[in-house]
Amino acid sequence: MLRRLLAGFNPIWLVIAPVILIVAGMLVTVFWLSFIRGLPGTPEATYTIENYLRLYSDPFVITALKNTLGFAGITVLVALFFGISISWLVERTNLPGKSVIYTVMSLGILLPGFFVAMGWLFLLHPRIGMVNLWLMRLFDLSQAPLSITTVTGMGWVQGLSLASLAFVLTSASFRSMDPALEEAATVHGAGFGQMLKRVFMPLVFPGLLASSIYIFTIGIGSFDTPAIIGLSNRIYTFSTFVYAQSVTGDSLPEYGPIAAMSGLVAVIAVLLSSWYGTVIKRANRYQVVTGKGYRPRQYELGKWMLPAWFFIGIYFLLSKVIPLLLLIWAAGLPYFQPLSMQALGSLSLQNFRSIPLDLLARGAKNTGILMVVVPTLAILVSFAFSWTVVRSQSRFRAVIDFFAFLPHAVPGIIFGVGALFVALFVLKGLPLYGSLTLLGIVYVVDRLSFGTRVLNSALIQIHHELEEAAAICGASGLRIARSVLAPLVWPALLNSWLWMALLTLRELTLATVLFSPSNITMPVVVWNIWISGNFGVASAITLVLLASLAPLVMIYWIFGRRQTAWAQSAEMK
């Protein structure tokens, strides 16, 4: 009997089963604690629905939820405005320099969001913002006329950061549109407005809706921009609410309300992701690329060429150049002040000399370890999941794919909260709380969806005949995966590894939720110095972080181009 069971056992389950248990365990723990009042494990702890009732009665919680929805909604509008506009210019017009624009927009996803937020705070903060100080002096105003410290301001900054993602998500929709439909509308006398309403928008609607849902979900769980801009001004969203409730000074945190709000947001996120999946599945109704009849056509910009470049230039100035220049300016000053001859005379490298090198070294060491370990483990786990979903005949494939998709559906901060609860109340005997190991586990879980989506696509391109030939020659399943499949999907593996490493370097949300002095990372070093009020030193460390990010982005760009060439050759074959 035992021999029969072992004969049917696939070693790949040794990888898949623990990960499924971890993912499920984190979410179950969150929902379990959401029904507990008091500290779990103590006599005072009781089961109750009071934590959920508080979500509908506590003005502070209600305001945080409203702010979250408003922030996420404005983020979507700003991101789509810039992302869609630039995407259309790149894919549907004769705009020159498209490859450069596409590269810069794609790599813009990897830049830390807190870098843009810090720059805009220096620009439009009501007390220290450079523009506000100029306007108050120029017009003799007693109050700042502009303020970035609002829900709208935070959404604007987050939208600028995510416009690159909107660009990538919508480019395929514009690229796949058959111009014959637009030509037919033109022949029948339709103007640009009618064609936009009756042809263009219906065709790209599924892609736009899917992108909106995806970006909205990211906005719900975003921490960096709400923390940098809103937290000091008592403007709370879901992520900063969790942070504020977790860091309560001398008293113990109230974990019940944190868990209840996390559970509610998880349900909302799953419903949004289900809608996203439905939109993607129905997208085949709008497929218009039909073999030989399809021919891409580009609009001639003509006199609009200069305005098009001006629009793209404005976006790069607002989202990248101005925040970077303001960070450089702040890093050179003893305290932040507007541009003037007096301020120029006070520029120095003192903030760089004041960087706490021991803290920075500890953060750099932990970040370096995570950048190597997390992508490696995430790739191995993703390969196991993808092989089972795409290649095996397991009847549990749908369940496995569901768990692989969950980290995409649920904001990462909720997995961070779940991991924190598991370490505190479920696995109390293990030294997980505050460890780099726990942070690494959550990072791997958070990267699972991305890894499996990339590898699913790569494995689908490989014909079964290659594995069948290896099996006939006596190769085991593990040997086939290692010697046949892995070399063929190597470009996708390398591309994914580099992408995950770069995301690990810039990650702030999970690192803040699970922060301890022993697992501090470079972004958390920036955050801790920032909240202490030392903006100059925080800016200096951010510049160090961006400098360390630059060569890695270049390496990713080089290998990303090779990955694109590999994918194109695979399609031709």
Side-chain angles (χ1 to χ4, degrees):
M1 182 68 175
L2 180 61
R3 184 178 300 177
R4 187 183 306 170
L5 289 174
L6 291 176
F9 176 74
N10 193 332
I12 207 167
W13 278 99
L14 294 175
V15 177
I16 294 175
V19 175
I20 290 178
L21 288 175
I22 290 172
V23 172
M26 290 179 184
L27 294 179
V28 168
T29 302
V30 168
F31 283 103
W32 167 59
L33 284 175
S34 69
F35 292 99
I36 292 181
R37 180 178 62 185
L39 193 65
T42 63
E44 293 79 16
T46 57
Y47 286 96
T48 178
I49 61 171
E50 179 182 331
N51 295 322
Y52 283 97
L53 295 176
R54 179 176 172 180
L55 297 180
Y56 301 98
S57 59
D58 189 332
F60 174 58
V61 177
I62 294 174
T63 301
L65 286 171
K66 289 181 179 178
N67 289 343
T68 302
L69 297 177
F71 166 72
I74 295 168
T75 296
V76 171
L77 293 177
V78 176
L80 291 183
F81 172 73
F82 286 104
I84 291 174
S85 301
I86 299 176
S87 178
W88 185 83
L89 289 171
V90 169
E91 299 293 346
R92 298 305 311 277
T93 73
N94 64 333
L95 186 74
K98 294 180 180 181
S99 60
V100 175
I101 297 173
Y102 199 97
T103 299
V104 174
M105 291 294 290
S106 299
L107 296 180
I109 302 173
L110 298 171
L111 292 177
F114 59 83
F115 137 71
V116 182
M118 292 167 68
W120 274 90
L121 200 67
F122 289 137
L123 189 69
L124 289 180
H125 190 279
R127 183 171 56 84
I128 65 171
M130 184 179 291
V131 171
N132 281 321
L133 292 176
W134 278 339
L135 292 175
M136 290 171 69
R137 292 176 184 176
L138 182 62
F139 297 103
D140 194 25
L141 301 175
S142 59
Q143 293 183 342
L146 304 171
S147 177
I148 200 68
T149 56
T150 62
V151 173
T152 302
M154 294 191 304
W156 164 261
V157 174
Q158 186 70 17
L160 288 175
S161 298
L162 294 179
S164 293
L165 180 60
F167 170 86
V168 172
L169 291 174
T170 57
S171 290
S173 297
F174 294 123
R175 192 182 310 126
S176 61
M177 287 181 59
D178 191 346
L181 300 174
E182 300 166 60
E183 294 170 0
T186 303
V187 169
H188 286 81
F192 182 79
Q194 286 183 311
M195 186 165 57
L196 184 68
K197 178 181 178 181
R198 298 180 180 276
V199 178
F200 186 80
M201 288 306 298
L203 289 175
V204 300
F205 178 74
L208 297 185
L209 181 58
S211 302
S212 300
I213 297 171
Y214 186 68
I215 294 172
F216 189 87
T217 304
I218 293 176
I220 287 177
S222 177
F223 175 79
D224 44 12
T225 299
I228 294 293
I229 296 178
L231 195 57
S232 61
N233 296 279
R234 299 185 179 277
I235 303 174
Y236 294 93
T237 62
F238 163 63
S239 58
T240 51
F241 168 86
V242 171
Y243 175 81
Q245 293 293 308
S246 302
V247 184
T248 57
D250 297 331
S251 61
L252 290 173
E254 294 185 67
Y255 292 113
I258 297 175
M261 193 167 184
S262 299
L264 175 62
V265 172
V267 171
I268 293 173
V270 169
L271 291 176
L272 286 171
S273 294
S274 299
W275 187 18
Y276 173 83
T278 302
V279 171
I280 293 299
K281 289 179 181 178
R282 293 178 179 176
N284 61 341
R285 300 179 182 179
Y286 302 88
Q287 290 175 351
V288 293
V289 179
T290 55
K292 295 180 180 180
Y294 171 75
R295 62 189 190 282
R297 168 179 170 257
Q298 295 180 340
Y299 289 97
E300 297 289 334
L301 286 176
K303 64 180 182 180
W304 295 101
M305 183 73 72
L306 187 60
W309 273 113
F310 180 77
F311 177 81
I312 295 173
I314 287 294
Y315 168 72
F316 285 131
L317 279 174
L318 295 176
S319 63
K320 307 293 186 297
V321 178
I322 290 178
L324 179 60
L325 292 177
L326 286 169
L327 279 183
I328 295 173
W329 178 251
L333 296 171
Y335 61 92
F336 192 79
Q337 52 189 307
L339 179 65
S340 65
M341 294 304 297
Q342 180 182 358
L344 286 172
S346 62
L347 289 174
S348 70
L349 297 176
Q350 183 57 42
N351 285 323
F352 289 91
R353 299 190 189 100
S354 301
I355 293 176
L357 296 180
D358 56 337
L359 188 64
L360 183 63
R362 200 188 326 153
K365 177 184 176 183
N366 290 336
T367 302
I369 293 172
L370 291 171
M371 286 180 66
V372 174
V373 174
V374 169
T376 303
L377 290 179
I379 286 294
L380 292 174
V381 171
S382 298
F383 189 87
F385 272 75
S386 293
W387 183 88
T388 305
V389 171
V390 176
R391 284 295 197 253
S392 76
Q393 300 299 318
S394 174
R395 55 185 173 179
F396 301 109
R397 286 183 299 170
V399 175
I400 294 170
D401 195 44
F402 169 77
F403 277 98
F405 186 76
L406 265 182
H408 167 84
V410 178
I413 189 173
I414 295 177
F415 285 103
V417 171
L420 180 68
F421 290 163
V422 169
L424 283 173
F425 306 117
V426 180
L427 302 177
K428 295 180 287 186
L430 298 178
L432 285 176
Y433 178 72
S435 68
L436 194 63
T437 300
L438 183 64
L439 190 58
I441 291 172
V442 181
Y443 276 17
V444 171
V445 169
D446 194 47
R447 306 287 180 261
L448 179 60
S449 294
F450 172 77
T452 53
R453 300 308 125 180
V454 172
L455 291 176
N456 283 357
S457 300
L459 288 174
I460 287 172
Q461 291 183 342
I462 300 172
H463 202 279
H464 289 272
E465 291 176 350
L466 298 173
E467 298 157 77
E468 293 170 357
I472 291 173
C473 293
S476 63
L478 188 61
R479 177 81 179 272
I480 293 172
R482 185 180 69 249
S483 302
V484 178
L485 293 178
L488 290 173
V489 299
W490 173 248
L493 292 175
L494 181 59
N495 196 50
S496 301
W497 192 96
L498 289 169
W499 181 273
M500 292 179 189
L502 288 165
L503 291 179
T504 301
L505 174 60
R506 53 155 285 177
E507 172 62 44
L508 177 63
T509 304
L510 294 173
T512 305
V513 173
L514 298 172
F515 163 72
S516 77
S518 61
N519 69 9
I520 191 169
T521 61
M522 286 186 68
V524 178
V525 172
V526 175
W527 167 244
N528 283 340
I529 294 177
W530 177 271
I531 61 175
S532 70
N534 203 335
F535 299 151
V537 176
S539 300
I541 299 178
T542 302
L543 292 176
V544 173
L545 178 60
L546 291 175
S548 64
L549 189 66
L552 295 174
V553 168
M554 184 60 65
I555 293 172
Y556 173 78
W557 177 67
I558 294 172
F559 283 101
R561 292 178 66 185
R562 294 181 181 179
Q563 161 68 9
T564 302
W566 172 84
Q568 290 173 347
S569 64
E571 289 176 1
M572 291 174 64
K573 295 176 182 178

